[in-house]
Amino acid sequence: MTREPGRIFREAWIAGVRKHFPGEPKPGYVTPWEETPDWERQAAAAVEGQVRDFVAVSDGRTSSLSRSQKGRFVALCWIAQIHKHIEAPKPGYVADWDDLPEWQRETDADIFETVERRGTPPRA
């Protein structure tokens, strides 16, 4: 069964937030895919595709990367999508890796590893 591009990213994000966020996350952090805004679905699909492509062009050697390196890749790809979809984003939306809260860094690494485990089927 083929999944809609971006859905794996979103599901990994929600799972990571539920696992790593201290306390109760904001409702928008755990909004189900069906209720996620279109721009955010497009951004999730783009970043999921970038991770898949990166794993593919690395011949699967991304398993040798640290969790920090994996998370940084996701975070940087996401920042580019924020700039694409939001004209004047809040500084927190485009914060550099070192400025992200620990829960978000861990969640970004989880996203990479989830996409990495799912393999690299051709992009739709």
Side-chain angles (χ1 to χ4, degrees), residues 80-98:
Q81 289 300 308
I82 292 294
H83 284 296
K84 176 181 177 181
H85 293 281
I86 300 174
E87 188 172 326
K90 295 178 185 178
Y93 292 176
V94 293
D96 197 23
W97 177 257
D98 292 332

Side-chain angles (χ1 to χ4, degrees), residues 18-91:
R18 293 195 189 282
K19 180 178 179 182
H20 302 292
F21 190 86
E24 187 65 29
K26 297 176 187 178
Y29 287 173
V30 293
T31 299
W33 178 255
E34 295 75 15
E35 299 170 30
T36 301
D38 286 342
W39 77 265
E40 202 167 344
R41 286 182 185 208
Q42 292 169 14
V47 177
E48 182 181 310
Q50 288 174 295
V51 173
R52 287 186 192 287
D53 289 349
F54 186 55
V55 172
V57 301
S58 302
D59 289 334
R61 304 267 189 220
T62 53
S63 61
S64 299
L65 298 176
S66 68
R67 277 185 54 82
S68 176
Q69 290 168 328
K70 292 174 181 185
R72 283 175 191 265
F73 184 83
V74 169
L76 189 57
C77 292
W78 185 257
I79 288 169
Q81 289 300 308
I82 292 294
H83 284 296
K84 176 181 177 181
H85 293 281
I86 300 174
E87 188 172 326
K90 295 178 185 178

